[in-house]
Amino acid sequence: MPKVEFTKHMGIPFKIGQPKKQIVPKTVERDFEREYGKLQQLEEQTRRLQKDMKKGTDADLALSKSAVKISLDLLSNPLCEQDQDFLNMVTALDTAMKRMDAFNQEKVNQIQKTVIEPLKKFSSVFPSLNMAVKRREQALQDYRRLQAKVEKYEEKEKTGPVLAKLHQAREELRPVRDDFEAKNKQLLDEMPRFYNSRLDYFQPSFESLIRAQVGYYSEMQKIFGDLTQQLDQPGHTDEQRERENEARLSELRALSIVADD
């Protein structure tokens, strides 16, 4: 995992006057960067998944709507007025496509409610999390600045004015240090808990997604099974139909109006 550069990432300007003392242990910084990096990845993955789910449901709806449009176009074909068998076949197809579209809409509505909306709500948490990290980073910069100030007076000759300024700097440092440590501890405690909670949060959504897909395709099997029974000619296989179509096409090609010059 790449190292998270908080100062640059969070938009906080570089602070001059860095202390010589290591005020935050490197192990603590590494732990913080690791945990926050995991949440940054989770945020990106959640946003991408929400976008892909929306694209998928939009494509599903467009497909079933197109299928209904095709069957309606076929019903308006003059052949339906001339051939009762063709009309019966297209009517059966139109009924099947409308049933498919209705079940598809039901499936999409379920996915929207139980998957896409929860993803959207989960994503809405991250701005507050990022703001808490930004406040922690600002507190750290203030801590470093005041620690450097204390160190500066500690290195000077201990005259009366210097001791007074040192005392004042230490008094200024104390609440800033406490503020940073509180923010840092809270984030280190809560970021792993938030990250680990993702499984409990998303599991019901993905179970619902699977049930929606299983229910939909189970219905599709029934719909197209019924349609197949209505359309199948006894004793005809797909290979036989293909040969019949090729034979008819050959007859059409033999007509003088389509013959090559």
Side-chain angles (χ1 to χ4, degrees), residues 6-160:
F6 294 104
T7 299
K8 179 179 178 181
H9 178 76
M10 302 309 297
I12 299 174
F14 180 75
K15 302 289 185 178
I16 62 173
Q18 296 297 307
K20 296 178 182 179
K21 178 183 176 182
Q22 181 71 37
I23 61 176
V24 181
K26 291 183 178 180
T27 54
V28 173
E29 280 297 302
R30 284 198 297 268
D31 289 345
F32 187 89
E33 291 179 10
R34 182 187 66 249
E35 295 302 328
Y36 185 49
K38 287 160 61 176
L39 292 180
Q40 286 178 302
Q41 289 184 341
L42 179 61
E43 180 181 14
E44 173 60 26
Q45 291 165 351
T46 303
R47 182 169 57 248
R48 189 186 310 125
L49 182 58
Q50 179 186 345
K51 181 180 178 181
D52 289 344
M53 289 297 304
K54 183 63 168 59
K55 287 172 63 177
T57 53
D58 287 346
D60 279 351
L61 287 177
L63 177 63
S64 62
K65 296 299 182 186
S66 295
V68 171
K69 179 65 166 55
I70 290 171
S71 64
L72 289 174
D73 288 344
L74 287 172
L75 279 175
S76 64
N77 192 294
L79 278 175
C80 288
E81 300 176 2
Q82 302 168 10
D83 191 313
Q84 185 61 43
D85 289 340
F86 185 71
L87 175 60
N88 292 341
M89 180 180 68
V90 174
T91 300
L93 175 66
D94 181 61
T95 300
M97 295 303 97
K98 288 177 179 176
R99 289 176 64 195
M100 178 184 72
D101 184 49
F103 280 112
N104 192 36
Q105 182 66 64
E106 182 178 331
K107 177 195 71 175
V108 168
N109 288 343
Q110 182 177 349
I111 292 174
Q112 177 69 33
K113 181 179 179 180
T114 61
V115 183
I116 297 178
E117 286 300 324
L119 282 169
K120 185 177 180 180
K121 291 176 181 178
F122 192 80
S123 294
S124 69
V125 176
F126 288 101
S128 297
L129 168 67
N130 292 329
M131 183 57 66
V133 172
K134 185 175 181 179
R135 287 194 294 266
R136 182 257 190 196
E137 178 67 13
Q138 183 61 63
L140 177 57
Q141 295 298 336
D142 292 341
Y143 182 10
R144 285 173 173 160
R145 176 178 55 82
L146 290 172
Q147 178 64 35
K149 185 177 179 181
V150 168
E151 291 176 0
K152 181 183 70 172
Y153 290 124
E154 286 177 338
E155 294 171 354
K156 289 186 176 184
E157 184 180 355
K158 300 302 186 291
T159 63

Side-chain angles (χ1 to χ4, degrees), residues 233-248:
Q233 299 179 30
H236 278 61
T237 64
D238 289 341
E239 290 78 9
Q240 288 174 316
R241 293 190 182 92
E242 184 176 355
R243 288 195 295 270
E244 290 175 0
N245 284 340
E246 286 296 331
R248 294 189 182 100

Side-chain angles (χ1 to χ4, degrees), residues 143-233:
Y143 182 10
R144 285 173 173 160
R145 176 178 55 82
L146 290 172
Q147 178 64 35
K149 185 177 179 181
V150 168
E151 291 176 0
K152 181 183 70 172
Y153 290 124
E154 286 177 338
E155 294 171 354
K156 289 186 176 184
E157 184 180 355
K158 300 302 186 291
T159 63
V162 169
L163 290 174
K165 291 180 179 180
L166 176 60
H167 175 74
Q168 181 180 356
R170 285 173 175 169
E171 290 298 309
E172 292 175 358
L173 173 63
R174 186 178 298 110
V176 172
R177 180 186 59 223
D178 293 345
D179 180 56
F180 166 76
E181 290 178 350
K183 286 181 169 62
N184 187 62
K185 182 179 185 304
Q186 181 181 28
L187 283 166
L188 283 174
D189 288 343
E190 294 184 1
M191 285 194 299
R193 288 166 53 194
F194 178 81
Y195 183 78
N196 292 332
S197 72
R198 73 198 189 284
L199 297 177
D200 291 336
Y201 182 85
F202 284 124
Q203 185 171 342
S205 291
F206 294 123
E207 287 178 354
S208 179
L209 173 63
I210 294 171
R211 285 196 297 269
Q213 298 286 9
V214 170
Y216 172 74
Y217 286 107
S218 296
E219 291 297 335
M220 292 308 99
Q221 183 179 21
K222 295 177 185 177
I223 289 171
F224 285 97
D226 293 344
L227 182 61
T228 300
Q229 291 179 1
Q230 295 179 62
L231 299 183
D232 269 352
Q233 299 179 30

